[in-house]
């Protein structure tokens, strides 16, 4: 796998290893976070620290396990000090993210936090305004929601994220049923009214 030896951007100089992804490479739901942190850099798997454990709990609460999702990041190498990836790093690593999406071809992509949202919808996209929406692009449905690390900092964000994942799981089930019946489109569930800005 080419990405595992990638030296395209300066992040390769400080990483321990490339953190490619975890989960099912045939999943119908791909989750994209920001970038590997210290624990992920050490273990070679994304979302294994406190934020990752919270993400796994949220997924389990809506009936999704590791076999139902593939989890990756906008950059595959740890930015030093866990800083936000630079625009040039995002642009350079994009080739790997696009290859992952081409290979898995998921109907649903969950954008975990501002960096993932901006990577797909541009620098003006704001996570607080856009979370909870379902955005269509390139035949996929994109669901921006808060990053689990943001929930650890601000537990008041757990409720809207819980609603987002209920909807994502419901839409994933609808798509699976539609695919089994030969209808590739499926019908999205209505957005829950949780009183949050959208
Ligand atoms: S962050 Fe992405 S582009 Fe940069 S070295 Fe790592 S794999 Fe390559």
């Amino acid at each position: 796998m080419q990405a595992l030896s990638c030296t395209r951007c300066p992040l390769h100089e400080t990483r321990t290893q490339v953190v490619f992804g975890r989960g099912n490479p045939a999943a119908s739901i791909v989750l994209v976070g920001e970038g590997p942190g210290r624990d992920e850099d050490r273990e070679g798997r994304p979302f294994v620290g406190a934020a990752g454990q919270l993400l796994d709990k949220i997924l389990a609460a809506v009936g999704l396990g590791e076999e139902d999702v593939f989890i990756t990041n906008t950059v595959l190498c740890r930015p030093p000090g866990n800083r936000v990836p630079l625009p040039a790093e995002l642009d350079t690593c994009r080739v790997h993210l696009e290859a992952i999406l081409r290979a898995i071809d998921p109907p649903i992509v969950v954008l975990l936090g501002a960096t993932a949202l901006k990577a797909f919808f541009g620098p003006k996209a704001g996570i607080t305004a856009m979370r909870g929406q379902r955005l269509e692009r390139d035949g996929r449905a994109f669901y921006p929601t808060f990053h689990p690390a943001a929930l650890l900092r601000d537990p008041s964000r757990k409720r809207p994220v819980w609603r987002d994942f209920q909807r994502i799981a419901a839409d994933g089930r609808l798509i699976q049923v539609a695919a089994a019946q030969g209808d590739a489109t499926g019908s999205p569930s209505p957005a829950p009214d949780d009183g949050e800005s959208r």
Side-chain angles (χ1 to χ4, degrees):
M1 197 180 298
Q2 270 188 335
L4 298 184
S5 56
C6 178
T7 56
R8 286 172 182 255
C9 90
L11 293 181
H12 82 274
E13 295 167 5
T14 49
R15 75 183 180 215
T16 302
Q17 57 192 315
V18 171
V19 181
F20 188 75
R22 69 174 167 96
N24 182 356
S28 58
I29 302 175
V30 168
L31 295 95
V32 182
E34 183 176 282
R38 184 192 55 197
D39 295 335
E40 290 78 14
D41 178 65
R42 188 179 58 229
E43 294 193 26
R45 285 164 52 83
F47 283 92
V48 295
Q53 289 164 20
L54 177 56
L55 177 62
D56 287 345
K57 275 188 196 169
I58 294 169
L59 291 171
V62 296
L64 295 173
E66 191 148 288
E67 69 281 4
D68 300 307
V69 299
F70 189 83
I71 306 174
T72 188
N73 280 303
T74 54
V75 292
L76 303 185
C77 301
R78 182 194 183 200
N82 291 358
R83 64 161 169 75
V84 176
L86 301 174
E89 294 160 354
L90 289 169
D91 284 349
T92 307
C93 207
R94 177 94 190 177
V95 64
H96 298 308
L97 189 53
E98 286 181 354
I100 289 169
L101 292 182
R102 266 199 314 276
I104 298 178
D105 196 20
I108 291 176
V109 179
V110 182
L111 303 175
L112 298 168
T115 301
L117 173 63
K118 290 178 193 300
F120 283 90
F121 289 92
K124 291 186 178 170
I127 189 66
T128 302
M130 292 177 71
R131 77 132 282 279
Q133 295 182 18
R134 173 188 160 114
L135 308 165
E136 303 280 346
R137 177 177 288 184
D138 301 332
R140 309 190 202 286
F142 290 81
Y143 297 79
T145 191
F146 295 129
H147 193 285
L151 309 188
L152 294 173
R153 292 191 297 270
D154 180 2
S156 72
R157 294 183 169 186
K158 285 184 180 177
R159 183 170 173 269
V161 169
W162 161 249
R163 298 273 190 174
D164 291 344
F165 273 93
Q166 283 182 312
R167 184 186 188 198
I168 291 160
D171 285 1
R173 284 189 285 272
L174 284 172
I175 287 168
Q176 281 182 340
V177 169
Q181 295 173 344
D183 173 6
T185 56
S187 300
S189 61
D193 179 9
D194 60 10
E196 292 293 317
S197 59
R198 298 191 187 285

